Amino acid sequence: MGALIAYLARAIAEEPEAIEVEEVVEGDRVVIYLHVSEEDKGRIIGRDGRVANAMRSLLHVASMRAGVDAALSID
């Protein structure tokens, strides 16, 4: 699931080499931390958070198929 988020973020970002994805298991939940450069934060979040919400929706579908609960945090 982290690979999916990394792929999407690198496709959007101006500096794809600055993208870092970290998966942390917290109990029965997987939290994916997406670290981006300050210049790309606006692109990744999108107007009114639309891009971030779309990424969260895709993550939700992938996590349901895998049978786990997942969340996305953008830093």
Side-chain angles (χ1 to χ4, degrees):
M1 288 181 287
L4 171 67
I5 296 299
Y7 176 79
L8 294 171
R10 286 188 178 109
I12 297 168
E14 287 275 323
E15 298 177 37
E17 63 279 350
I19 301 289
E20 293 180 17
V21 176
E22 178 183 357
E23 289 187 50
V24 178
V25 178
E26 296 176 355
D28 61 343
R29 183 177 218 192
V30 176
V31 180
I32 298 174
Y33 293 98
L34 176 62
H35 304 283
V36 299
S37 66
E38 284 296 318
E39 293 79 27
D40 284 332
K41 252 187 198 176
R43 288 179 180 276
I44 298 296
I45 295 172
R47 183 173 291 152
D48 294 328
R50 289 183 184 152
V51 175
N53 286 336
M55 291 173 77
R56 285 186 175 103
S57 294
L58 290 171
L59 179 63
H60 178 73
V61 170
S63 68
M64 287 293 115
R65 292 187 117 203
V68 297
D69 187 24
L72 175 64
S73 176
I74 300 172
D75 297 331

